[in-house]
Amino acid sequence: FLMPVSSPGRLGPRIPTTAPATISMLLGTSILMVACGVLLINRSFAMYMVGLTLVGSGWAGVYVASSALVSDIFVQEPRLRLAAQGAMDTSLILLSALSNALSGLLVRSMGWTSFVQLMMAANATLFVWCAAYHLWTVVRWHKVVRALQQLEK
């Protein structure tokens, strides 16, 4: 889990410029859903390790992309940009800690299969939201391009 999660940090600022952040979020949520499917195959150690590696990769894609989106919003104000990104990162770490603490209780009360299915549904919901946001940004960008073309005429 830790290797895939920490890999984007080694690649540095190239990730947000390599693919739009919304595409990275879509890929990340897709990988998270695949991870859930792998974790449902069976409860062997091998499947668990593959699933956990995929969870790390998917989580990293979503996290790096969302961090890039927050940074892009505050690109004009460097002090605000740093504060906003720091607040988002701190919130994410605190929510991750809470999630980790509660996940054991949820697995114990719901059972492994139901818990993984719940996570798959949550990631599917996130995927739909990311897809809608991506489409909104594409439509908005095309409107800007058309308006600029109208000004040139």
Side-chain angles (χ1 to χ4, degrees), residues 87-132:
M88 189 196 93
D89 290 349
T90 301
S91 300
L92 182 98
I93 297 300
L94 291 173
L95 288 172
S96 293
L98 178 64
S99 172
N100 288 335
L102 293 177
S103 65
L105 296 173
L106 286 173
V107 169
R108 183 172 285 162
S109 65
M110 298 174 68
W112 176 255
T113 302
S114 296
F115 176 76
V116 175
Q117 289 169 341
L118 176 65
M119 292 301 100
M120 188 178 276
N123 285 307
T125 302
L126 182 60
F127 179 86
V128 169
W129 183 86
C130 290

mmCIF file of all heavy atoms in Angstrom, residues 87-132:
data_model
loop_
_atom_site.group_PDB
_atom_site.id
_atom_site.type_symbol
_atom_site.label_atom_id
_atom_site.label_comp_id
_atom_site.label_asym_id
_atom_site.label_seq_id
_atom_site.Cartn_x
_atom_site.Cartn_y
_atom_site.Cartn_z
ATOM 1 N N ALA A 87 -4.494 22.988 4.496
ATOM 2 C CA ALA A 87 -5.760 22.682 5.178
ATOM 3 C C ALA A 87 -6.403 21.432 4.586
ATOM 4 O O ALA A 87 -6.925 20.582 5.320
ATOM 5 C CB ALA A 87 -6.711 23.872 5.067
ATOM 6 N N MET A 88 -6.365 21.319 3.258
ATOM 7 C CA MET A 88 -6.942 20.130 2.629
ATOM 8 C C MET A 88 -6.171 18.872 3.007
ATOM 9 O O MET A 88 -6.762 17.848 3.350
ATOM 10 C CB MET A 88 -6.966 20.270 1.113
ATOM 11 C CG MET A 88 -7.764 19.150 0.458
ATOM 12 S SD MET A 88 -7.465 18.994 -1.287
ATOM 13 C CE MET A 88 -6.180 17.788 -1.290
ATOM 14 N N ASP A 89 -4.851 18.951 2.957
ATOM 15 C CA ASP A 89 -4.030 17.786 3.297
ATOM 16 C C ASP A 89 -4.225 17.372 4.755
ATOM 17 O O ASP A 89 -4.337 16.192 5.065
ATOM 18 C CB ASP A 89 -2.551 18.070 3.024
ATOM 19 C CG ASP A 89 -2.241 18.168 1.536
ATOM 20 O OD1 ASP A 89 -3.106 17.814 0.718
ATOM 21 O OD2 ASP A 89 -1.127 18.611 1.204
ATOM 22 N N THR A 90 -4.287 18.359 5.658
ATOM 23 C CA THR A 90 -4.513 18.062 7.083
ATOM 24 C C THR A 90 -5.880 17.425 7.283
ATOM 25 O O THR A 90 -6.010 16.433 8.014
ATOM 26 C CB THR A 90 -4.383 19.349 7.916
ATOM 27 O OG1 THR A 90 -3.076 19.884 7.723
ATOM 28 C CG2 THR A 90 -4.616 19.074 9.386
ATOM 29 N N SER A 91 -6.902 17.974 6.636
ATOM 30 C CA SER A 91 -8.247 17.400 6.743
ATOM 31 C C SER A 91 -8.276 15.970 6.233
ATOM 32 O O SER A 91 -8.886 15.091 6.838
ATOM 33 C CB SER A 91 -9.257 18.242 5.952
ATOM 34 O OG SER A 91 -9.302 19.540 6.440
ATOM 35 N N LEU A 92 -7.602 15.744 5.117
ATOM 36 C CA LEU A 92 -7.576 14.408 4.534
ATOM 37 C C LEU A 92 -6.896 13.409 5.475
ATOM 38 O O LEU A 92 -7.395 12.308 5.667
ATOM 39 C CB LEU A 92 -6.861 14.429 3.192
ATOM 40 C CG LEU A 92 -6.848 13.057 2.537
ATOM 41 C CD1 LEU A 92 -7.956 12.963 1.516
ATOM 42 C CD2 LEU A 92 -5.521 12.779 1.933
ATOM 43 N N ILE A 93 -5.783 13.805 6.071
ATOM 44 C CA ILE A 93 -5.079 12.911 6.985
ATOM 45 C C ILE A 93 -5.936 12.611 8.210
ATOM 46 O O ILE A 93 -6.021 11.459 8.660
ATOM 47 C CB ILE A 93 -3.712 13.512 7.390
ATOM 48 C CG1 ILE A 93 -2.804 13.660 6.175
ATOM 49 C CG2 ILE A 93 -3.048 12.696 8.486
ATOM 50 C CD1 ILE A 93 -2.495 12.368 5.447
ATOM 51 N N LEU A 94 -6.611 13.632 8.749
ATOM 52 C CA LEU A 94 -7.477 13.411 9.916
ATOM 53 C C LEU A 94 -8.651 12.497 9.569
ATOM 54 O O LEU A 94 -8.996 11.595 10.340
ATOM 55 C CB LEU A 94 -7.973 14.748 10.464
ATOM 56 C CG LEU A 94 -6.917 15.624 11.132
ATOM 57 C CD1 LEU A 94 -7.502 16.987 11.480
ATOM 58 C CD2 LEU A 94 -6.347 14.943 12.364
ATOM 59 N N LEU A 95 -9.252 12.716 8.400
ATOM 60 C CA LEU A 95 -10.364 11.856 7.983
ATOM 61 C C LEU A 95 -9.890 10.436 7.680
ATOM 62 O O LEU A 95 -10.606 9.472 7.935
ATOM 63 C CB LEU A 95 -11.081 12.453 6.777
ATOM 64 C CG LEU A 95 -11.923 13.687 7.085
ATOM 65 C CD1 LEU A 95 -12.433 14.319 5.793
ATOM 66 C CD2 LEU A 95 -13.071 13.368 8.019
ATOM 67 N N SER A 96 -8.684 10.303 7.153
ATOM 68 C CA SER A 96 -8.119 8.970 6.915
ATOM 69 C C SER A 96 -7.899 8.233 8.225
ATOM 70 O O SER A 96 -8.173 7.039 8.331
ATOM 71 C CB SER A 96 -6.795 9.069 6.157
ATOM 72 O OG SER A 96 -7.010 9.544 4.864
ATOM 73 N N ALA A 97 -7.412 8.947 9.231
ATOM 74 C CA ALA A 97 -7.203 8.331 10.540
ATOM 75 C C ALA A 97 -8.535 7.883 11.139
ATOM 76 O O ALA A 97 -8.645 6.761 11.669
ATOM 77 C CB ALA A 97 -6.501 9.307 11.481
ATOM 78 N N LEU A 98 -9.546 8.714 11.029
ATOM 79 C CA LEU A 98 -10.874 8.351 11.520
ATOM 80 C C LEU A 98 -11.417 7.152 10.758
ATOM 81 O O LEU A 98 -11.967 6.213 11.349
ATOM 82 C CB LEU A 98 -11.826 9.544 11.394
ATOM 83 C CG LEU A 98 -13.269 9.314 11.833
ATOM 84 C CD1 LEU A 98 -13.325 9.010 13.327
ATOM 85 C CD2 LEU A 98 -14.118 10.528 11.490
ATOM 86 N N SER A 99 -11.237 7.163 9.442
ATOM 87 C CA SER A 99 -11.690 6.051 8.610
ATOM 88 C C SER A 99 -10.992 4.751 9.003
ATOM 89 O O SER A 99 -11.630 3.693 9.086
ATOM 90 C CB SER A 99 -11.417 6.378 7.144
ATOM 91 O OG SER A 99 -11.670 5.281 6.325
ATOM 92 N N ASN A 100 -9.689 4.828 9.218
ATOM 93 C CA ASN A 100 -8.951 3.627 9.628
ATOM 94 C C ASN A 100 -9.443 3.101 10.965
ATOM 95 O O ASN A 100 -9.563 1.892 11.157
ATOM 96 C CB ASN A 100 -7.447 3.919 9.697
ATOM 97 C CG ASN A 100 -6.839 4.072 8.327
ATOM 98 O OD1 ASN A 100 -7.347 3.543 7.356
ATOM 99 N ND2 ASN A 100 -5.759 4.815 8.250
ATOM 100 N N ALA A 101 -9.737 4.004 11.884
ATOM 101 C CA ALA A 101 -10.221 3.584 13.193
ATOM 102 C C ALA A 101 -11.596 2.928 13.089
ATOM 103 O O ALA A 101 -11.867 1.929 13.763
ATOM 104 C CB ALA A 101 -10.270 4.786 14.138
ATOM 105 N N LEU A 102 -12.447 3.476 12.238
ATOM 106 C CA LEU A 102 -13.812 2.951 12.117
ATOM 107 C C LEU A 102 -13.898 1.718 11.224
ATOM 108 O O LEU A 102 -14.836 0.926 11.367
ATOM 109 C CB LEU A 102 -14.747 4.039 11.581
ATOM 110 C CG LEU A 102 -14.990 5.221 12.508
ATOM 111 C CD1 LEU A 102 -15.872 6.253 11.832
ATOM 112 C CD2 LEU A 102 -15.606 4.767 13.822
ATOM 113 N N SER A 103 -12.961 1.541 10.309
ATOM 114 C CA SER A 103 -13.071 0.426 9.364
ATOM 115 C C SER A 103 -13.040 -0.925 10.074
ATOM 116 O O SER A 103 -13.776 -1.839 9.692
ATOM 117 C CB SER A 103 -11.981 0.501 8.299
ATOM 118 O OG SER A 103 -10.706 0.341 8.873
ATOM 119 N N GLY A 104 -12.209 -1.049 11.085
ATOM 120 C CA GLY A 104 -12.181 -2.312 11.835
ATOM 121 C C GLY A 104 -13.516 -2.616 12.481
ATOM 122 O O GLY A 104 -13.984 -3.758 12.458
ATOM 123 N N LEU A 105 -14.141 -1.585 13.043
ATOM 124 C CA LEU A 105 -15.462 -1.774 13.655
ATOM 125 C C LEU A 105 -16.501 -2.142 12.609
ATOM 126 O O LEU A 105 -17.358 -2.998 12.844
ATOM 127 C CB LEU A 105 -15.883 -0.502 14.389
ATOM 128 C CG LEU A 105 -15.027 -0.084 15.583
ATOM 129 C CD1 LEU A 105 -15.453 1.283 16.093
ATOM 130 C CD2 LEU A 105 -15.111 -1.130 16.689
ATOM 131 N N LEU A 106 -16.419 -1.490 11.442
ATOM 132 C CA LEU A 106 -17.374 -1.800 10.374
ATOM 133 C C LEU A 106 -17.190 -3.220 9.848
ATOM 134 O O LEU A 106 -18.176 -3.931 9.613
ATOM 135 C CB LEU A 106 -17.246 -0.793 9.227
ATOM 136 C CG LEU A 106 -17.800 0.593 9.486
ATOM 137 C CD1 LEU A 106 -17.463 1.540 8.337
ATOM 138 C CD2 LEU A 106 -19.305 0.536 9.694
ATOM 139 N N VAL A 107 -15.960 -3.641 9.664
ATOM 140 C CA VAL A 107 -15.710 -5.000 9.181
ATOM 141 C C VAL A 107 -16.236 -6.003 10.198
ATOM 142 O O VAL A 107 -16.864 -7.005 9.833
ATOM 143 C CB VAL A 107 -14.207 -5.235 8.894
ATOM 144 C CG1 VAL A 107 -13.920 -6.712 8.664
ATOM 145 C CG2 VAL A 107 -13.771 -4.425 7.691
ATOM 146 N N ARG A 108 -15.994 -5.737 11.462
ATOM 147 C CA ARG A 108 -16.459 -6.650 12.506
ATOM 148 C C ARG A 108 -17.992 -6.719 12.541
ATOM 149 O O ARG A 108 -18.563 -7.789 12.686
ATOM 150 C CB ARG A 108 -15.923 -6.226 13.864
ATOM 151 C CG ARG A 108 -16.338 -7.204 14.957
ATOM 152 C CD ARG A 108 -15.673 -6.923 16.258
ATOM 153 N NE ARG A 108 -14.287 -7.378 16.135
ATOM 154 C CZ ARG A 108 -13.314 -7.004 16.922
ATOM 155 N NH1 ARG A 108 -13.551 -6.153 17.885
ATOM 156 N NH2 ARG A 108 -12.107 -7.459 16.764
ATOM 157 N N SER A 109 -18.656 -5.588 12.385
ATOM 158 C CA SER A 109 -20.122 -5.595 12.476
ATOM 159 C C SER A 109 -20.794 -6.010 11.165
ATOM 160 O O SER A 109 -21.834 -6.668 11.197
ATOM 161 C CB SER A 109 -20.634 -4.227 12.919
ATOM 162 O OG SER A 109 -20.363 -3.259 11.948
ATOM 163 N N MET A 110 -20.210 -5.641 10.010
ATOM 164 C CA MET A 110 -20.846 -5.925 8.726
ATOM 165 C C MET A 110 -20.349 -7.215 8.087
ATOM 166 O O MET A 110 -21.055 -7.801 7.283
ATOM 167 C CB MET A 110 -20.541 -4.795 7.723
ATOM 168 C CG MET A 110 -21.043 -3.441 8.084
ATOM 169 S SD MET A 110 -20.463 -2.187 6.918
ATOM 170 C CE MET A 110 -21.344 -2.638 5.439
ATOM 171 N N GLY A 111 -19.116 -7.570 8.374
ATOM 172 C CA GLY A 111 -18.486 -8.677 7.669
ATOM 173 C C GLY A 111 -17.658 -8.132 6.517
ATOM 174 O O GLY A 111 -17.911 -7.040 6.000
ATOM 175 N N TRP A 112 -16.636 -8.892 6.119
ATOM 176 C CA TRP A 112 -15.691 -8.454 5.093
ATOM 177 C C TRP A 112 -16.367 -8.165 3.761
ATOM 178 O O TRP A 112 -16.170 -7.119 3.154
ATOM 179 C CB TRP A 112 -14.596 -9.511 4.931
ATOM 180 C CG TRP A 112 -13.623 -9.208 3.845
ATOM 181 C CD1 TRP A 112 -13.558 -9.793 2.619
ATOM 182 C CD2 TRP A 112 -12.583 -8.231 3.884
ATOM 183 N NE1 TRP A 112 -12.536 -9.252 1.884
ATOM 184 C CE2 TRP A 112 -11.905 -8.282 2.643
ATOM 185 C CE3 TRP A 112 -12.142 -7.318 4.840
ATOM 186 C CZ2 TRP A 112 -10.834 -7.468 2.340
ATOM 187 C CZ3 TRP A 112 -11.062 -6.502 4.530
ATOM 188 C CH2 TRP A 112 -10.428 -6.587 3.300
ATOM 189 N N THR A 113 -17.190 -9.094 3.288
ATOM 190 C CA THR A 113 -17.806 -8.946 1.964
ATOM 191 C C THR A 113 -18.690 -7.711 1.904
ATOM 192 O O THR A 113 -18.591 -6.918 0.959
ATOM 193 C CB THR A 113 -18.609 -10.213 1.603
ATOM 194 O OG1 THR A 113 -17.722 -11.334 1.635
ATOM 195 C CG2 THR A 113 -19.235 -10.102 0.233
ATOM 196 N N SER A 114 -19.530 -7.509 2.901
ATOM 197 C CA SER A 114 -20.411 -6.333 2.910
ATOM 198 C C SER A 114 -19.611 -5.042 2.991
ATOM 199 O O SER A 114 -19.945 -4.047 2.345
ATOM 200 C CB SER A 114 -21.383 -6.404 4.087
ATOM 201 O OG SER A 114 -22.242 -7.507 3.938
ATOM 202 N N PHE A 115 -18.538 -5.065 3.767
ATOM 203 C CA PHE A 115 -17.696 -3.880 3.890
ATOM 204 C C PHE A 115 -17.049 -3.524 2.549
ATOM 205 O O PHE A 115 -17.067 -2.366 2.129
ATOM 206 C CB PHE A 115 -16.614 -4.100 4.956
ATOM 207 C CG PHE A 115 -15.651 -2.960 5.084
ATOM 208 C CD1 PHE A 115 -16.027 -1.792 5.724
ATOM 209 C CD2 PHE A 115 -14.375 -3.056 4.558
ATOM 210 C CE1 PHE A 115 -15.149 -0.728 5.846
ATOM 211 C CE2 PHE A 115 -13.482 -2.001 4.671
ATOM 212 C CZ PHE A 115 -13.869 -0.836 5.317
ATOM 213 N N VAL A 116 -16.497 -4.518 1.867
ATOM 214 C CA VAL A 116 -15.855 -4.261 0.568
ATOM 215 C C VAL A 116 -16.898 -3.810 -0.454
ATOM 216 O O VAL A 116 -16.639 -2.912 -1.269
ATOM 217 C CB VAL A 116 -15.061 -5.495 0.081
ATOM 218 C CG1 VAL A 116 -14.502 -5.280 -1.319
ATOM 219 C CG2 VAL A 116 -13.928 -5.814 1.049
ATOM 220 N N GLN A 117 -18.086 -4.378 -0.410
ATOM 221 C CA GLN A 117 -19.152 -3.949 -1.316
ATOM 222 C C GLN A 117 -19.555 -2.501 -1.035
ATOM 223 O O GLN A 117 -19.815 -1.727 -1.964
ATOM 224 C CB GLN A 117 -20.364 -4.871 -1.190
ATOM 225 C CG GLN A 117 -20.122 -6.243 -1.784
ATOM 226 C CD GLN A 117 -21.221 -7.240 -1.439
ATOM 227 O OE1 GLN A 117 -21.992 -7.047 -0.497
ATOM 228 N NE2 GLN A 117 -21.285 -8.315 -2.210
ATOM 229 N N LEU A 118 -19.588 -2.114 0.239
ATOM 230 C CA LEU A 118 -19.886 -0.725 0.602
ATOM 231 C C LEU A 118 -18.807 0.206 0.054
ATOM 232 O O LEU A 118 -19.107 1.270 -0.490
ATOM 233 C CB LEU A 118 -19.984 -0.586 2.129
ATOM 234 C CG LEU A 118 -20.188 0.830 2.664
ATOM 235 C CD1 LEU A 118 -21.535 1.382 2.221
ATOM 236 C CD2 LEU A 118 -20.064 0.835 4.181
ATOM 237 N N MET A 119 -17.549 -0.198 0.159
ATOM 238 C CA MET A 119 -16.450 0.613 -0.373
ATOM 239 C C MET A 119 -16.528 0.718 -1.893
ATOM 240 O O MET A 119 -16.258 1.775 -2.471
ATOM 241 C CB MET A 119 -15.092 0.033 0.040
ATOM 242 C CG MET A 119 -14.789 0.126 1.516
ATOM 243 S SD MET A 119 -14.800 1.825 2.129
ATOM 244 C CE MET A 119 -16.410 1.942 2.895
ATOM 245 N N MET A 120 -16.938 -0.373 -2.552
ATOM 246 C CA MET A 120 -17.093 -0.342 -4.005
ATOM 247 C C MET A 120 -18.201 0.642 -4.388
ATOM 248 O O MET A 120 -18.046 1.428 -5.326
ATOM 249 C CB MET A 120 -17.385 -1.729 -4.563
ATOM 250 C CG MET A 120 -17.371 -1.770 -6.084
ATOM 251 S SD MET A 120 -17.654 -3.413 -6.749
ATOM 252 C CE MET A 120 -16.012 -4.080 -6.687
ATOM 253 N N ALA A 121 -19.304 0.628 -3.653
ATOM 254 C CA ALA A 121 -20.405 1.554 -3.927
ATOM 255 C C ALA A 121 -19.969 3.001 -3.682
ATOM 256 O O ALA A 121 -20.305 3.897 -4.470
ATOM 257 C CB ALA A 121 -21.608 1.207 -3.057
ATOM 258 N N ALA A 122 -19.205 3.231 -2.625
ATOM 259 C CA ALA A 122 -18.705 4.584 -2.349
ATOM 260 C C ALA A 122 -17.790 5.061 -3.468
ATOM 261 O O ALA A 122 -17.875 6.213 -3.908
ATOM 262 C CB ALA A 122 -17.981 4.606 -0.999
ATOM 263 N N ASN A 123 -16.930 4.179 -3.952
ATOM 264 C CA ASN A 123 -16.027 4.557 -5.043
ATOM 265 C C ASN A 123 -16.773 4.741 -6.356
ATOM 266 O O ASN A 123 -16.403 5.592 -7.157
ATOM 267 C CB ASN A 123 -14.907 3.526 -5.195
ATOM 268 C CG ASN A 123 -13.893 3.664 -4.093
ATOM 269 O OD1 ASN A 123 -13.364 4.741 -3.863
ATOM 270 N ND2 ASN A 123 -13.628 2.593 -3.382
ATOM 271 N N ALA A 124 -17.820 3.966 -6.573
ATOM 272 C CA ALA A 124 -18.642 4.155 -7.776
ATOM 273 C C ALA A 124 -19.320 5.524 -7.733
ATOM 274 O O ALA A 124 -19.390 6.228 -8.747
ATOM 275 C CB ALA A 124 -19.676 3.042 -7.896
ATOM 276 N N THR A 125 -19.796 5.918 -6.558
ATOM 277 C CA THR A 125 -20.404 7.240 -6.386
ATOM 278 C C THR A 125 -19.379 8.334 -6.653
ATOM 279 O O THR A 125 -19.665 9.317 -7.349
ATOM 280 C CB THR A 125 -20.979 7.377 -4.962
ATOM 281 O OG1 THR A 125 -21.929 6.342 -4.746
ATOM 282 C CG2 THR A 125 -21.631 8.726 -4.748
ATOM 283 N N LEU A 126 -18.171 8.162 -6.137
ATOM 284 C CA LEU A 126 -17.099 9.123 -6.382
ATOM 285 C C LEU A 126 -16.759 9.185 -7.866
ATOM 286 O O LEU A 126 -16.538 10.265 -8.410
ATOM 287 C CB LEU A 126 -15.862 8.758 -5.560
ATOM 288 C CG LEU A 126 -14.666 9.688 -5.675
ATOM 289 C CD1 LEU A 126 -15.009 11.100 -5.230
ATOM 290 C CD2 LEU A 126 -13.496 9.139 -4.856
ATOM 291 N N PHE A 127 -16.751 8.036 -8.529
ATOM 292 C CA PHE A 127 -16.467 7.993 -9.965
ATOM 293 C C PHE A 127 -17.506 8.810 -10.737
ATOM 294 O O PHE A 127 -17.159 9.589 -11.626
ATOM 295 C CB PHE A 127 -16.445 6.556 -10.469
ATOM 296 C CG PHE A 127 -16.170 6.444 -11.947
ATOM 297 C CD1 PHE A 127 -14.868 6.420 -12.414
ATOM 298 C CD2 PHE A 127 -17.208 6.390 -12.863
ATOM 299 C CE1 PHE A 127 -14.602 6.337 -13.781
ATOM 300 C CE2 PHE A 127 -16.958 6.305 -14.217
ATOM 301 C CZ PHE A 127 -15.653 6.276 -14.672
ATOM 302 N N VAL A 128 -18.781 8.629 -10.413
ATOM 303 C CA VAL A 128 -19.853 9.360 -11.102
ATOM 304 C C VAL A 128 -19.688 10.859 -10.873
ATOM 305 O O VAL A 128 -19.815 11.666 -11.802
ATOM 306 C CB VAL A 128 -21.241 8.862 -10.646
ATOM 307 C CG1 VAL A 128 -22.354 9.769 -11.139
ATOM 308 C CG2 VAL A 128 -21.475 7.433 -11.117
ATOM 309 N N TRP A 129 -19.371 11.255 -9.640
ATOM 310 C CA TRP A 129 -19.164 12.662 -9.342
ATOM 311 C C TRP A 129 -17.979 13.206 -10.135
ATOM 312 O O TRP A 129 -18.055 14.293 -10.711
ATOM 313 C CB TRP A 129 -18.939 12.864 -7.834
ATOM 314 C CG TRP A 129 -18.794 14.305 -7.491
ATOM 315 C CD1 TRP A 129 -19.795 15.192 -7.230
ATOM 316 C CD2 TRP A 129 -17.580 15.046 -7.424
ATOM 317 N NE1 TRP A 129 -19.261 16.440 -6.994
ATOM 318 C CE2 TRP A 129 -17.906 16.374 -7.105
ATOM 319 C CE3 TRP A 129 -16.237 14.713 -7.594
ATOM 320 C CZ2 TRP A 129 -16.946 17.372 -6.966
ATOM 321 C CZ3 TRP A 129 -15.282 15.711 -7.450
ATOM 322 C CH2 TRP A 129 -15.645 17.017 -7.131
ATOM 323 N N CYS A 130 -16.880 12.456 -10.174
ATOM 324 C CA CYS A 130 -15.693 12.887 -10.930
ATOM 325 C C CYS A 130 -15.998 12.997 -12.419
ATOM 326 O O CYS A 130 -15.542 13.933 -13.083
ATOM 327 C CB CYS A 130 -14.531 11.917 -10.709
ATOM 328 S SG CYS A 130 -13.817 11.978 -9.066
ATOM 329 N N ALA A 131 -16.760 12.049 -12.952
ATOM 330 C CA ALA A 131 -17.122 12.085 -14.376
ATOM 331 C C ALA A 131 -17.979 13.311 -14.669
ATOM 332 O O ALA A 131 -17.767 14.002 -15.675
ATOM 333 C CB ALA A 131 -17.850 10.802 -14.766
ATOM 334 N N ALA A 132 -18.938 13.599 -13.787
ATOM 335 C CA ALA A 132 -19.786 14.778 -13.979
ATOM 336 C C ALA A 132 -18.956 16.059 -13.907
ATOM 337 O O ALA A 132 -19.131 16.973 -14.730
ATOM 338 C CB ALA A 132 -20.891 14.800 -12.925
#
